[in-house]
Each structure stands twice: as C-alpha cells, then as structure tokens.
Amino acid sequence: MLRAFETFSMASGLKMSPGKSNIYSNGVADSLISRIESEVGIQRGRVPFKYLGVNISPKRLSVAECAGLVDRVVEKIRVVGVRNISYAGRVVIIKSVLMSLHSYWARIFILPKTVLNRIEAICRSFLWHGSGASDGPALVAWEKVCRPRKNGGLGFYVWWIQNKADHLWVRWVHAIYLKRTPWENYTPSCNTSWGWHKICWVKQLLAIEAGACAGTCYNIRDIYSKLVDEGTKVAWNPWVCTRLFFPKHRFIMWLIVQGRLLTQDRLVRMGIIHENCWFLCGMEEESHWHIFFTCVYSYDCARMVARWLGVTFSLYWTIDWWLRLRTRSLIQKQVIGLALASLFYRIWGVRNKARIESFIMYPRKLCNEVREDVLSRIRVCRVCSLCPRGRDWLEGLQSRVCM
C-alpha cells in the first residue's frame, strides 16, 4: 500500500501538505494505519470531517451534525433581518439564499426530518415576521406558500433533477452498485449503506406510483407531481404573478385575492381587537370587500384611475370587471392589471397610515402615485405595442393626468 501511494504521488506530480491533509481508512488494521502515518508524515483523520462547508460521513448524519446548516440559515437571517425588508424582498431572500443552503446539503445527504422541519420553521418565521425566531401566526399556511405559482403558491420548492450520463457520481454508482444491472431491476444488498438503501426505496416507491413494470420507463416529473399535493390551478395566477407588476405590489395582490390581509374583521375574529371601524369613510366595518370595492374613498380612486386609462367605469366594479375588458389588446390588459395592482397597494398603504398616524391622503394624490408607478414600470420593462392603436394608447397615458 505504501509503495502504491508513493507511485501515485510521483506519477501525478502532487505535492501534498502534511498540515492540510489527512488519511481516512475503512476496514484497515490500526497497526497498518500507524505505519502509514509514520512513513508519509500525514496524520489519521476522523469522520465526520468538513469539506466545502459540509460534514462528510459514511453514516447517516445526526441532528447535531447538521447544526452547522441550521446555524448558517439563522446567521443569514440575522444579517439581513435588521433591515426593513418587504414581503417581496423576503421571498427573494428565502428562494435565493436560504433554500440554496438547504438544497446544497440535500443534494449530498439525506437530512433528518427534525432538521428539515427546523429550517421550514425558520423560513416561515422570516417570511411573515422578519426574524427566524418568531412563533406568531402566518397569513397563509406554509403548505400553500410552497405550492407552485399556478396552484396559488409562491413556488418555494421547485423539483429539479439533473441526469447526466457522464456525471462522476453516476459512473461510481454503476461501477460499485449496479454493475450492468438495469436500474429498474436492481435490488440493494444487505451490506450497502443506509443512504443507498433509502435511494433505492424511493426508486421503488416511484415505480409503484407509476404502475410501471420491469423495463418500462416513467416520467419522474409526473410522479413527483402525483406524490406532492400541489392543489388545483387558480384562475387568478396569470395576472397576479405576472413579471410586469412590482414585486411588492404582486405580493399584496396575492394576499388580497385570498382574503388574507390583516383587516379588522379578521382581527376581531382572532380576538386581537374588539372594535371594527373603517378609518377612511366610517360608513361600514372594515373588510377586504369594503376596503377595495365599496368604500367611497376607494371608489373615487378607482374612478380616477379608470378615467386616466380611458376605461368607462362601472359602479359595480370588481377585479374580474377590470380584467375582462375583451375589447382591449394584450398590452392594454397588462397595463390595466399593473394599474390595478398599484391601486390596491396604495389603498392598503393609506389604510395603514390612517390607522397609525391618523392621516388620509387625497384621492387625486394617490391616483397620481399610481400613474407614476405605471409609467415608471413601463419605461423600466420597455413595454411597447406593435399595433398603432396600442402605441397611441400608451403615448396617451403619458400625456394625461389623473383627475
């Protein structure tokens, strides 16, 4: 073994640093390992050890060994949690930072359920409360949040699988385990690792769900969709989740269509407050329907925005009424939806300011802010229309004011 080690080092031209290297063995006598240590000057390492930030171990990782992953997620939240970040900003952080840490570990190890539940609790707390240690109620159940966008969620968990024939791990699996045995017919032996047994168990579960027999191919994406309860498709997804909207407007609209904003009627039912009064008009109790549709203040704002857009306003207007303007072109419908999202976001902001500071903005000023939101988004996204009618309509929006 020593002669083979020296031959490999000379052939590869590697210069190993004894202080940065360790020897790991399995099924080798301690006397032989001690001899190797004295000959090559490299100490024996113990498992688990860290490599690229993760614990490497031939056995199943314990909850204590995964503490580094949980600590890194908490540390990321601690760094960004001191800032005033909107709901939409937290969604981006969870998807791009927190879930990437979890995915990096999950592609290497089978993580304990306790660790997965802990990470979910931290992400859920950060989304709704801005910190990773809050136990307050959530506006939307986490199961619904994790659904794909087409099913009314935010798409936190997305199925991803990479199948490359030249992948190093795939080659190793075929050389050590499969040995020319077809994958669908393979059964692990009793002396294989716990992790490999779990992978084969999942393969068998997918085959059962697919109703596939030996030699029959099945689509993993379809089986995953069958195993995961994604719910039914929602009709409002195409316009609530459009990229043309401001992210913060899109998130508020996502809550509005589900009736999940913390309006006073919901707070009374929760027992948090005992009196329900609407600050803007004082005519009815506060609810989602009254705030955005039947309130005199909201009606005036919607009428001004509709006049600016060149839309004949209706007394009995709803979200569907705005979005079912069949005579409009696609560009006009998208811009009208953008104006509607900005209008609702601004009305909700006026409601919060009226409750906290007892200050109510004039409807005309609110509508001008909606106008600025729409025009700025059109310029940033470079929205244009190929038809002369749509182009003239966009140019008219820039010359008109809300009144």
Side-chain angles (χ1 to χ4, degrees), residues 253-298:
M253 284 291 292
W254 179 72
L255 293 176
I256 290 175
V257 295
Q258 301 180 89
R260 305 304 296 177
L261 289 176
L262 284 180
T263 53
Q264 292 194 60
D265 60 334
R266 295 191 64 215
L267 295 177
V268 169
R269 291 196 298 268
M270 296 177 184
I272 299 177
I273 62 176
H274 304 285
E275 184 180 1
N276 184 353
C277 59
W278 176 230
F279 297 94
L280 298 186
C281 67
M283 298 176 61
E284 297 183 22
E285 292 184 345
E286 180 182 289
S287 64
H288 280 81
W289 180 256
H290 182 63
I291 289 176
F292 300 104
F293 300 106
T294 62
C295 175
V296 176
Y297 181 89
S298 302

Side-chain angles (χ1 to χ4, degrees), residues 5 8-9 12-23 40 42:
F5 180 82
F8 171 77
S9 300
S12 59
L14 296 177
K15 295 182 178 180
M16 305 182 66
S17 175
K20 299 180 180 179
S21 305
N22 293 102
I23 296 176
V40 301
I42 300 177

Side-chain angles (χ1 to χ4, degrees), residues 70-86:
V70 178
D71 292 341
R72 290 191 65 183
V73 173
V74 174
E75 182 62 26
K76 293 293 184 181
I77 293 178
R78 187 179 295 113
V79 172
V80 301
V82 296
R83 307 172 186 174
N84 188 17
I85 303 177
S86 64

